[in-house]
Every structure is written in C-alpha cells, then in structure tokens.
Amino acid sequence: MSFLSIHGIILLAFTLSSLTPFCVSDSRLLPNKPLTVGSKLLSDDGTFALGFFSPSNSIKTHYYVGIWYNNIPEDNVVWVANRDTPITDPSSTTLALANGSNLVVSNTKGQLIWVANINATRNFSSETIGGEEAILDNSGNFILRASNGVILWQSFDYPTDTLLPGMKLRVTHKSHALQRLISWKDPQDPSPGIYSYGADPKEFLQRFIWNGSRPYRRSPVWNNYLVVGSYLDIIKSTIYMTVRRVDNEIFMSFGIPGDSSTTKIKMDYTGKIKILVWNNSNMLEWNMLQAEPNHECSTYGYCGPFGYCDSTEPIATCKCLDGFKPINYKDDDRFSRGCHRKDALRCDQENTFLTLMNMKIPDTFLYVKNKSFDECTAECTNNCSCTAYAYANMSSTAINGDDTRCLLWMGDLIDTEKLIGQGENLYIRVNELSDKNRRNMILKITLPIIISSLLILICVWLVWIYKCQAKQRNKKIWKNLLSGSLSSSNELGDGNIPFLTYQEILLATNNFCSSNMLGHGGFGNVYKGTFNYGKKIAVKRLSECSGQGILEFKNEVILIAKLQHRNLVKLLGFCIHGDEKLLIYEYLPNTSLDAFLFNSVKKPLLDWSVRFKIILGIARGLLYLHQDSRLNIIHRDLKASNILLDEEMSPKISDFGMARIFDRNQQQGNTNRVVGTYGYMSPEYALKGVFSVKSDVYSFGVLVLEIISGSRISSVDISEDFPNLIAFAWSLWKDGNTKNFIDSSIVESCILDEASQCIHIGLLCVQDNPNARPLMSIGCIYSGERLYITSTSRTTYIFCREELWNL
Ligand SMILES: *[C@@H]1O[C@H](CO)[C@@H](O)[C@H](O)[C@H]1NC(C)=O
Ligand SMILES: *[C@@H]1O[C@H](CO)[C@@H](O)[C@H](O)[C@H]1NC(C)=O
Ligand SMILES: *[C@@H]1O[C@H](CO)[C@@H](O)[C@H](O)[C@H]1NC(C)=O
Ligand SMILES: *[C@@H]1O[C@H](CO)[C@@H](O)[C@H](O)[C@H]1NC(C)=O
Ligand SMILES: *[C@@H]1O[C@H](CO)[C@@H](O)[C@H](O)[C@H]1NC(C)=O
Ligand SMILES: *[C@@H]1O[C@H](CO)[C@@H](O)[C@H](O)[C@H]1NC(C)=O
Ligand SMILES: *[C@@H]1O[C@H](CO)[C@@H](O)[C@H](O)[C@H]1NC(C)=O
Ligand SMILES: *[C@@H]1O[C@H](CO)[C@@H](O)[C@H](O)[C@H]1NC(C)=O
C-alpha cells in the first residue's frame, strides 16, 4: 500500500471521528430526525455533546454512541450507550427515536445495536405516543420524555464509569438493582473492565471498589448526616458525598457547593476511583483532587484480621490493634496473616472496652436498628462473641425514621485503618484490668511523663549539638556517599549540593501524596513538592526494590553535582533516610517532551520554531556531556521522556541514573547489563552491549526524527509499509518527499529547508555503523538560521556523502 492511500484512510478516519466540525448542533433528538455519524447534539450551554465517537486514536473502526464534554479535548467521554457492542459500520448507523417511542441505535441492514431500556410497565394509553423528544440537558443527562412530560428514560439512570454532579448512584435495592460505576477496559476500549465501584450489597452504609468480584478498597462507613465531606485545599472547598432518599430507595451523589468547576468522579481502568477537576488555568488538563486507594496499605484487608493500616505515619504501615500482637509465621513475616490477642479473652469476667479514635471501622458488621448509645454498648457487652462496636447518631430522619447507627462485630476485625483527622471511635473488647494491671497502668501513665520531660531536655540539647555539627555532618555524608563508588569520582564534587532532611521533603511533598506524583523515572517515582516558602521542586524517590538503586543514586548525585549547563536539569539537593534515597531537582512546569510531542491536543503548541529550539538545546546539552564538561559522559538513556521542558520550552536533559563516565582516551565500553529504552538504543548497544558516544548520537537521531514527525519511534500508525520511523523517514527523504514526514500539525509553521536538514542530520545519526555516525563533539553549532553537525574538517562530509547512509 502506498503512503498516499494510507494518508487517504487517515483522512477518512478523521472525517468520521468526532474531531471534525459537526453539522447538527441542536440539543433535541426528534422522531423523524435520526442522528448520523458526523452530527451531534449539543446541550443548550454547549457543555456536553452527544453523538458517535471512536475512542481509539489509531485507525480503528469501532464507534460508540456517547456523551462527552464538548469543550474538553482529552478524557472527555462521560457516558457510553453501546459499551458491549461497538458499531463497525459507522456510515450506515444512526441513533433514532424509533417506533415513535424508543431510542434505538441501528444500521441500514436493520440490525439493532442498542435500544434504550424504557420503562416497560408504563401505561402507554395514558401517554400520547408520537410526541416524544429526547433532550441533552446542561448537566449531561440525555432524557427521553413522553409528550406529557413523563420521563421514559434517562442516561443518568444508566451510569457507565463516570459520576457527574447531580447524577445519582442507587445504594439500596427495593425494586431495582444496585448501580455501579464500571471501569473501561483500557483508555481506548469502553467495554466493561474488571474494576467497579458502588455500595456494599449487604449494607448501603459503605461503598467498595471491586477487582472482579473481590473487594479492593472499602470506603469509611457513613456516619454523621449521611455525608462524607473532605476539604480540598486546591479548590478551597469541600467535596461532599451524600446519601439521600428518593421515593423508596437511597442514592448517593456528590457535589461541591457553589462551585461551577467541571468535576467528575471516575472509576479508572487502573482500579482507582478518582475525583478529577478540569483546570482551565494551567495547561488544560484534568487535575486529580483525590484517588483511592492511595497506598497499598489501605487496600482491602491488607493488614489482616485485627491489624490496621496506620495512615497517620509518614509511610502508612500495618500495626496491630491495642492488646494484639502479630502472628509470626516462620516463613512469612508479612502482616497479611494479621494479629492475635496477647492474652486470651476471658469472657466470664466483666470485660471493658478500649476506645480507639479516628478509625475507619472494620468491615462485616451487624447493623442493629433503633438503639441509643448505652443500649448499643449493652448489646455488645452482653454478647460474648461481640468483639467490638461503634455508634453514630446520623441526625437525619431521612433513612427509615431512625437516626441511630449501632454497629456490632462478632468475629475478626478486618480492613481497619487509622485516619488523619477523620474517622470515628471504635470500641474493642479487652479483658478487665486486674489490680496488678491497674498498678501497671498507673506506672504506664506516670512513667511516660517523667521520661518525656527527660526526653525534651535531651532533645533540646541534641538540637543544639546538631546545629553546631550540621556542617561537619554534610561533609561526612558526602564522604560516605562518594567513598567506594565510581573510580573516576574521587575528585570530590563542588559539595554545594545541600543535604535536605527527610522531614523537609515529607512536608514539601505532603507525605508523597499520590496526587503529587509526576511520573515514573528510571528507578522510582517522581513527586512534585513545594517548600513552605513557595519554591517548587521535583523529588525523585528511588524505589527500594531496585537492587541497583544505591549505585545509580551515587552515580546521579556525583554526576549532576559536577554538571552545570542550561540544557541539563539542575540538582538542588539530595536526602538519605534509612532505605530512602531522594534526589531533589528543580521543578519544570511543562513536564517532558513526550507529554507534548505525542499528545494530539498539545502537539500544536510546539510549532516549528519551538521544535527547532528544542533540537538545538538537546544537541548543546549532549555536546556538553560528551565533551565540554570536565568529564566525558555518555547518557545511555536519551529519550523524549527524559527531556524536560521549562517555562520557555527550553529542553533540559534529565535522568542520569544510567550515565557512564569515560576517560578522555577511552573509545567505547562494554556492559553485561544493557539498560536503556528499545527504539532509542543503537544496534551495537542493544545487540552486543557496546556503547560509546556514538550510541548517544544514535538516540539523538531518533529524537530528532520523533520531534519532526511527532510520532514515536515505535509508532505503528505512521505507515504499514515500514517497520519503523527510521525506514519511513529514509524512504521519504530518498524520494525528496520530506514534507510528508513532517508532523501535520506544524507543516504550516515549518521552514521546509530547515526541517529537511534536520531530517538529514537525524538520518545520519541513526546509521547502523557507529563510525559512520557524526560526532556531537567538535561542534553542533547554530550559525545564522541553520543547524549543522560538523566536525572541523568534515562539514561537507555530512552534506555530500549521501551514499554513506545505507539503511
Ligand atoms: C414498537 O412499539 C410497540 C409498542 O408500542 C412494540 O410492541 C414494538 O415491539 C416496537 N417495535 C420496536 C422495533 O421497537
Ligand atoms: C414505570 O412506570 C410505572 C407506571 O407509570 C411507574 O409506576 C413506575 O414507577 C415506573 N418505573 C420507573 C423505574 O420509572
Ligand atoms: C392506563 O391509563 C388509563 C387512562 O388514564 C387508565 O384507564 C388505565 O386503567 C391505566 N392502565 C393501567 C394498567 O394502569
Ligand atoms: C486485580 O486482580 C487481578 C487478578 O487477580 C490482579 O492481577 C490485579 O493485580 C488486581 N489489580 C489490582 C489493582 O490489585
Ligand atoms: C489549576 O492550575 C493552576 C496553575 O497550575 C494551579 O495553581 C491551581 O491550583 C490548579 N487548580 C486546580 C483546581 O487544580
Ligand atoms: C424505631 O423506633 C421508632 C419509634 O420508636 C419506630 O417508629 C420505628 O418503626 C422503629 N424502626 C425500626 C426499624 O424498628
Ligand atoms: C450474640 O450475637 C449473635 C449474632 O447476632 C447471636 O447469634 C448470638 O445468639 C448472640 N449471643 C447471645 C448470648 O446473645
Ligand atoms: C441524635 O441527634 C439529634 C440531634 O442532635 C437528637 O435530637 C437525637 O435525639 C439524637 N438521637 C440519639 C439516639 O441520640
């Protein structure tokens, strides 16, 4: 298939997809006016659209009928009609008010793809058939009304994976089934995935995320006012989850009072339930306000029976409830088996109850109706198998005229969590304190007071000592860090990279809050942080399980400490705390190159002049690494996601975890451990583990081709006839057809000459033979308007010896 015909298919696909302008933009669907692919309904205020869409951005023929935010370019679909049955022949398919009374998606062959499940028991004869209409309203609800105004069907009654403000999720079931949000299979496939979210079928007081049929995360139990609210600093408001009774059934919904922002709750395909708000003020993206579960420890039953997850610790960890100790299995020291009592419970005596505060109370409770607090206490005291109870006054008459909530536990206490500032009291049964215990108790109370006053004195003294010695300490850490590491690092770094305390970092990143996570680096997660004086930082947290961590850590600190260049990311500090190893970088608000380059919405922001600037910046940074710095450095993992962009879109090379230092006269190295990213790795490195500056040149060439084409090296949609981007570029270059290689979103702004030369340079850099590739060294200079890769005597070599690049 030739490129042109493929181009034709791409064009066709674009015409069919939701990206092109639509012809119809009414908010009503009328009986004799079916909706076809390419037209859409628009809510009166323009917020929501309804029509046909294709969720996959590669060429696919699966279409769906759905509702999406009309003005939001990404992750915008909020409802899908035909999740299970994609439309495969979009041109002959319509959405119609068929038969005068029902919504039907069907094709010209008469196949029914989807039919709205209208109330079958309604009294047809009392409604005037024929006058119906379906309206997409401003809240995103698609409503089918009979001519007398009765709602026959509405999309809000059939949630998919997204809950919008005003939408209700049924949590009790009198006459209808419970409702759940069910995740998409993946971001390109709306068919039902494995994760779902909704109320506990046994008791509406709590909600679950399920992984298939297994609980994955349980919400705290509703208590007061049947409302769960959490204040979110980022929107300076509280987001409420409420439970309300409508007719005979109970529904949950959410909202932010007085807030007009675009907010949604989404059951994500990764298994997290996310509260997202569209932020118009920054780079036009969804900001995550909250995600659950936010750490492993808070997943369902993680700490086992009678264990609990202590979320008040900087790193949430499992602990045993008071009076319990871990069950120690020889070959299994994990907490998953939970805890058991230190002393067996003697039920013949009068037991007392220990109060645990701020708890997410356990699962599998018994809900006893109409009890006062004292009655609830008695209920548990009088039944030996009752291990714990909890009580709340819901102060609401909405549910069955009963505002009490007495919960009893008859067996194991599982999935308990200690929360920060929220939660409620949990009363657990313990043996009554004997006289001896009482004496111990008195000791337990007075002794801590004495000890703590002593401790305070010691602390004051220590702080004083610490301050005096802080300087020496930093030096010592540096010495430890540098000793025994890389051979060429014995010349000590400038030493003005400060050591930051773990507390400072915890504070800045809000305990590594998952909403601050920026992404995954080479060896761990990267978090955004803010010091209290306002400075923003990016914290790379090396994961403990990566065995190579400490080596890469030393490597990176030592290297970056010595490197100062405006096209390299700047290290601000580092921190070692127990097993934790943290690197603190300057924060670059525009994240990385790949976030722009391979995102259809953001890529037009990188016009040709910006891309050219980025190519030059990377070349300069690489040149500095290879030659101009005091060391000879080979980066070994140059790729789009390691190129960060600052406010001015200047590129900064990051992630030196895999970099190697070279002697000046060393030509190439060998490694058994080939690290890097396929596609960017030169053939000799990927196949034989041989690396040299020429392997970086290869990666640079790949980057240049990606920047110009806006396609990933591994992209399959570019053209079926070519195995990869390189072969594709070569073929077009050979035919003098470089224009077709250039990203269609910049072809307008592009200086063709300049782009052609960059393609040329990119191709030179990705030659199989490392010796044929040009060096970054000697010069990658910017002179006048042109970019050249030169080597003093060989400028002409690059532009004349075309026969050299046999791909
Ligand atoms: C049309 O409506 C009638 C009832 O009014 C129903 O019996 C019939 O099945 C409907 N046909 C279709 C194709 O929906
Ligand atoms: C269905 O229609 C009947 C009769 O009009 C009504 O009583 C019932 O509540 C309706 N059910 C739903 C789910 O709307
Ligand atoms: C339907 O409505 C008509 C007119 O209001 C009434 O006479 C009839 O009994 C109703 N039928 C049912 C099944 O409710
Ligand atoms: C969900 O369950 C599957 C199958 O047991 C498992 O592979 C997957 O890791 C689980 N997902 C999460 C997020 O735990
Ligand atoms: C929106 O983005 C701006 C700029 O990045 C940020 O300051 C603000 O907190 C964001 N708002 C929300 C609600 O996320
Ligand atoms: C609870 O008590 C009230 C008044 O004492 C009574 O009206 C109501 O039916 C009781 N509810 C239940 C579920 O027993
Ligand atoms: C304790 O409660 C359980 C569960 O409700 C019940 O089966 C059992 O009979 C009760 N025992 C006593 C002594 O009341
Ligand atoms: C719950 O609180 C309301 C309002 O404070 C009060 O009127 C009611 O008596 C309380 N109910 C119980 C069972 O304590």
Side-chain angles (χ1 to χ4, degrees):
M1 196 185 290
S2 83
F3 174 72
L4 273 179
S5 65
I6 285 164
H7 201 69
I9 288 172
I10 294 172
L11 273 182
L12 179 69
F14 270 86
T15 324
L16 297 175
S17 82
S18 56
L19 292 169
T20 43
F22 285 87
C23 348
V24 186
S25 47
D26 196 357
S27 68
R28 277 147 219 272
L29 184 72
L30 299 171
N32 45 9
K33 282 206 185 140
L35 200 65
T36 54
V37 175
S39 56
K40 66 179 175 182
L41 302 181
L42 211 55
S43 64
D44 284 338
D45 67 358
T47 308
F48 290 97
L50 180 144
F52 294 80
F53 72 97
S54 169
S56 167
N57 38 26
S58 54
I59 307 166
K60 262 199 180 171
T61 48
H62 283 188
Y63 275 74
Y64 296 87
V65 170
I67 298 174
W68 61 88
Y69 291 105
N70 192 45
N71 299 316
I72 292 178
E74 63 183 62
D75 190 13
N76 55 2
V77 176
V78 296
W79 184 78
V80 183
N82 53 323
R83 294 186 80 162
D84 302 293
T85 46
I87 297 160
T88 48
D89 52 347
S91 52
S92 70
T93 307
T94 58
L95 166 68
L97 244 176
N99 207 5
S101 61
N102 203 353
L103 289 166
V104 172
V105 176
S106 60
N107 60 21
T108 43
K109 288 176 227 139
Q111 284 171 315
L112 288 181
I113 289 152
W114 176 83
V115 181
N117 180 18
I118 57 168
N119 187 345
T121 62
R122 73 204 172 96
N123 188 341
F124 277 94
S125 58
S126 68
E127 292 150 12
T128 331
I129 308 284
E132 288 97 348
E133 58 177 13
I135 302 178
L136 179 64
D137 78 3
N138 291 340
S139 61
N141 192 7
F142 188 44
I143 307 169
L144 173 63
R145 278 206 177 83
S147 50
N148 61 358
V150 172
I151 293 180
L152 302 175
W153 179 92
Q154 54 184 342
S155 62
F156 270 20
D157 286 342
Y158 299 89
T160 53
D161 69 331
T162 304
L163 199 64
L164 296 172
M167 204 164 159
K168 301 187 307 251
L169 208 61
R170 195 180 301 113
V171 299
T172 57
H173 45 110
K174 290 246 159 66
S175 52
H176 293 90
L178 284 177
Q179 288 172 324
R180 283 190 189 179
L181 301 180
I182 300 174
S183 68
W184 286 25
K185 234 179 208 138
D186 63 55
Q188 321 238 309
D189 183 358
S191 61
I194 54 172
Y195 300 103
S196 59
Y197 172 77
D200 183 353
K202 287 184 258 145
E203 196 48 77
F204 75 93
L205 289 171
Q206 57 186 4
R207 292 146 288 138
F208 277 99
I209 298 172
W210 285 273
N211 179 354
S213 58
R214 281 174 305 131
Y216 175 53
R217 157 81 189 174
R218 186 177 59 102
S219 70
V221 183
W222 301 108
N223 48 21
N224 209 5
Y225 294 97
L226 293 180
V227 168
V228 174
S230 59
Y231 181 80
L232 296 163
D233 203 37
I234 186 164
I235 50 168
K236 303 266 176 284
S237 184
T238 304
I239 185 155
Y240 289 103
M241 296 274 229
T242 62
V243 171
R244 275 179 303 145
R245 176 142 151 198
V246 181
D247 300 327
N248 249 329
E249 296 195 288
I250 301 171
F251 294 87
M252 65 168 273
S253 58
F254 86 101
I256 303 176
D259 187 273
S260 59
S261 63
T262 304
T263 317
K264 64 177 182 181
I265 293 184
K266 180 172 172 180
M267 180 69 247
D268 196 74
Y269 74 100
T270 58
K272 286 186 196 267
I273 191 94
K274 291 179 175 171
I275 306 179
L276 299 158
V277 59
W278 180 253
N279 193 338
N280 266 323
S281 59
N282 64 0
M283 304 201 330
L284 296 178
E285 60 189 8
W286 289 101
N287 282 32
M288 193 162 70
L289 299 181
Q290 227 169 26
E292 293 287 348
N294 57 8
H295 43 75
E296 195 181 25
C297 178
S298 71
T299 56
Y300 186 81
Y302 185 75
C303 298
F306 299 106
Y308 69 97
C309 174
D310 189 348
S311 296
T312 64
E313 295 278 318
I315 296 168
T317 43
C318 286
K319 290 184 178 165
C320 287
L321 293 170
D322 288 6
F324 291 79
K325 61 181 183 201
I327 298 172
N328 276 326
Y329 281 81
K330 267 185 196 138
D331 55 346
D332 183 9
D333 57 355
R334 285 189 40 207
F335 239 90
S336 56
R337 297 181 190 256
C339 308
H340 60 152
R341 280 185 196 277
K342 288 177 181 160
D343 310 307
L345 193 63
R346 295 180 304 273
C347 197
D348 47 331
Q349 296 187 12
E350 272 207 4
N351 297 129
T352 51
F353 285 87
L354 201 65
T355 309
L356 307 176
M357 290 186 289
N358 290 328
M359 303 303 279
K360 177 176 112 178
I361 56 179
D363 191 18
T364 56
F365 46 77
L366 222 66
Y367 182 10
V368 187
K369 307 278 160 65
N370 266 1
K371 299 277 185 222
S372 69
F373 177 71
D374 291 340
E375 286 165 346
C376 187
T377 309
E379 195 79 17
C380 192
T381 313
N382 297 336
N383 188 330
C384 253
S385 37
C386 179
T387 47
Y389 71 96
Y391 188 83
N393 179 351
M394 313 259 243
S395 307
S396 159
T397 48
I399 311 294
N400 304 331
D402 175 14
D403 57 13
T404 71
R405 197 215 61 188
C406 171
L407 305 180
L408 306 178
W409 284 265
M410 291 298 162
D412 289 354
L413 304 180
I414 60 163
D415 196 40
T416 313
E417 190 175 340
K418 187 173 183 126
L419 304 170
I420 306 167
Q422 316 156 333
E424 55 179 300
N425 287 352
L426 175 68
Y427 305 94
I428 61 170
R429 184 190 287 268
V430 292
N431 288 323
E432 203 204 5
L433 301 169
S434 64
D435 279 354
K436 191 177 153 208
N437 283 343
R438 260 188 238 282
R439 267 201 305 278
N440 282 344
M441 204 65 184
I442 290 168
L443 266 185
K444 267 190 185 162
I445 292 167
T446 52
L447 212 66
I449 295 177
I450 298 168
I451 291 178
S452 58
S453 357
L454 261 175
L455 273 180
I456 289 173
L457 279 177
I458 293 174
C459 280
V460 170
W461 180 67
L462 277 179
V463 165
W464 181 73
I465 297 267
Y466 173 85
K467 282 207 165 156
C468 293
Q469 297 190 340
K471 269 194 172 166
Q472 273 103 319
R473 195 159 142 261
N474 272 354
K475 274 191 186 151
K476 200 166 170 193
I477 286 165
W478 263 102
K479 233 178 183 167
N480 288 342
L481 187 68
L482 298 175
S483 62
S485 73
L486 298 147
S487 56
S488 41
S489 66
N490 37 19
E491 55 174 298
L492 202 105
D494 297 341
N496 44 19
I497 300 284
F499 178 80
L500 299 168
T501 67
Y502 192 56
Q503 283 309 318
E504 282 175 295
I505 311 282
L506 282 181
L507 213 62
T509 58
N510 194 6
N511 290 340
F512 296 110
C513 176
S514 59
S515 63
N516 282 338
M517 192 147 115
L518 296 171
H520 307 278
F523 285 91
N525 296 339
V526 183
Y527 294 84
K528 178 180 169 179
T530 315
F531 286 132
N532 52 13
Y533 55 90
K535 178 152 185 73
K536 291 211 168 97
I537 52 169
V539 180
K540 181 166 159 187
R541 186 186 197 183
L542 296 183
S543 56
E544 286 165 39
C545 40
S546 66
Q548 315 90 351
I550 190 73
L551 235 171
E552 267 82 16
F553 183 72
K554 286 177 180 178
N555 211 358
E556 197 154 357
V557 174
I558 293 162
L559 271 181
I560 307 190
K562 295 177 180 180
L563 300 176
Q564 300 288 337
H565 189 270
R566 71 193 142 120
N567 293 116
L568 302 184
V569 72
K570 195 162 154 201
L571 186 72
L572 301 177
F574 71 101
C575 167
I576 301 178
H577 175 86
D579 287 340
E580 289 270 8
K581 296 173 286 290
L582 307 166
L583 289 166
I584 294 90
Y585 293 102
E586 62 183 324
Y587 173 70
L588 297 172
N590 280 335
T591 65
S592 53
L593 179 58
D594 61 331
F596 283 85
L597 205 52
F598 308 129
N599 178 319
S600 55
V601 178
K602 289 184 186 167
K603 65 165 55 169
L605 294 174
L606 300 181
D607 63 13
W608 172 247
S609 62
V610 176
R611 291 193 197 198
F612 191 55
K613 198 172 83 176
I614 291 173
I615 293 175
L616 280 174
I618 300 170
R620 284 201 196 100
L622 205 53
L623 177 63
Y624 173 83
L625 286 180
H626 285 178
Q627 178 195 305
D628 291 349
S629 67
R630 283 185 285 151
L631 309 157
N632 269 17
I633 291 159
I634 297 174
H635 186 283
R636 296 209 297 166
D637 197 19
L638 200 64
K639 56 180 168 181
S641 59
N642 282 342
I643 306 296
L644 307 183
L645 299 173
D646 70 4
E647 305 84 8
E648 276 134 29
M649 291 288 180
S650 289
K652 292 184 184 251
I653 300 174
S654 79
D655 214 331
F656 292 84
M658 304 186 187
R660 283 293 181 89
I661 305 175
F662 257 53
D663 286 342
R664 285 255 173 243
N665 33 23
Q666 190 179 354
Q667 287 304 313
Q668 61 177 43
N670 244 305
T671 182
N672 294 329
R673 197 161 69 87
V674 173
V675 286
T677 307
Y678 281 95
Y680 290 94
M681 276 195 249
S682 61
E684 76 276 7
Y685 180 48
L687 299 177
K688 298 181 212 144
V690 178
F691 61 89
S692 64
V693 288
K694 294 293 184 71
S695 7
D696 276 355
V697 170
Y698 183 93
S699 311
F700 173 76
V702 172
L703 256 174
V704 169
L705 295 180
E706 286 188 332
I707 291 170
I708 297 168
S709 66
S711 303
R712 286 183 195 276
I713 180 71
S714 52
S715 166
V716 286
D717 11 311
I718 183 93
S719 169
E720 280 173 2
D721 282 354
F722 301 101
N724 59 30
L725 199 62
I726 295 174
F728 181 51
W730 168 240
S731 153
L732 291 181
W733 168 265
K734 227 170 32 181
D735 302 345
N737 196 6
T738 44
K739 198 169 177 186
N740 283 338
F741 184 71
I742 298 165
D743 190 347
S744 55
S745 62
I746 58 158
V747 140
E748 301 281 276
S749 67
C750 177
I751 301 168
L752 206 57
D753 249 14
E754 227 167 53
S756 296
Q757 239 164 61
C758 286
I759 296 172
H760 192 159
I761 287 163
L763 284 170
L764 283 169
C765 294
V766 296
Q767 293 173 94
D768 274 351
N769 178 359
N771 296 324
R773 291 173 213 150
L775 283 168
M776 299 305 294
S777 69
I778 314 298
C780 170
I781 49 163
Y782 184 45
S783 91
E785 300 273 79
R786 299 256 154 109
L787 174 79
Y788 302 98
I789 293 184
T790 68
S791 78
T792 32
S793 58
R794 287 210 243 163
T795 316
T796 47
Y797 158 89
I798 288 166
F799 293 105
C800 306
R801 304 272 303 273
E802 291 183 15
E803 70 273 17
L804 266 182
W805 359 309
N806 292 317
L807 290 170

